[in-house]
Amino acid sequence: MSTPPARASAELAVPSRDEREDWTARADCRFVEPSVFFGPDDEPRGARLRRERTAKQICHTCPVRIPCRAYALDSRQRYGVWGGTTEAERRARHPALPAGVPPEPR
Ligand code: SF4
């Protein structure tokens, strides 16, 4: 079995504050309306699925998708699409995600 490339382990590392500030400056979503990534509490299921699909399409080609996802998982972001993951997908990985924490501004 071969050793994984160095890049793979670097992608899994949780970014430092400086790295986080760096990657947010290159985020594809910085010019997109935040409502694409964050829906209202009473959003109907069909609308949520369409909105999340649109957000995930933006994330799919975003150059900072990996550190964004790592940040969302590490900081237990409760709301929104981050790094191509939905709230439900992150909750499945971290069932103890706290409820009622407001979304952080991007
Ligand atoms: S991966 Fe998605 S949510 Fe994260 S910075 Fe890129 S576009 Fe924004």
Side-chain angles (χ1 to χ4, degrees):
M1 182 176 213
S2 65
T3 305
R7 185 166 178 254
S9 59
E11 287 177 345
L12 295 175
V14 174
S16 69
R17 183 182 177 91
D18 286 344
E19 289 169 335
R20 192 169 71 232
E21 288 171 358
D22 178 59
W23 68 256
T24 57
R26 295 183 293 126
D28 277 358
C29 58
R30 66 192 187 280
F31 302 116
V32 178
E33 174 62 42
S35 62
V36 173
F37 292 84
F38 298 96
D41 288 342
D42 59 350
E43 185 175 36
R45 183 176 184 274
R48 176 178 54 78
L49 292 175
R50 286 190 296 277
R51 178 184 55 73
E52 288 177 342
R53 187 179 318 123
T54 299
K56 289 174 89 168
Q57 286 172 343
I58 295 168
C59 294
H60 184 69
T61 56
C62 178
V64 295
R65 183 177 72 253
I66 300 300
C68 176
R69 182 182 309 161
Y71 169 74
L73 289 168
D74 179 60
S75 61
R76 310 283 171 108
Q77 292 297 315
R78 173 71 177 83
Y79 296 107
V81 173
W82 292 79
T85 62
T86 65
E87 300 166 8
E89 290 165 344
R90 292 194 306 278
R91 201 164 33 249
R93 290 181 65 168
H94 292 285
L97 274 175
V101 178
E104 289 190 2
R106 294 186 189 209

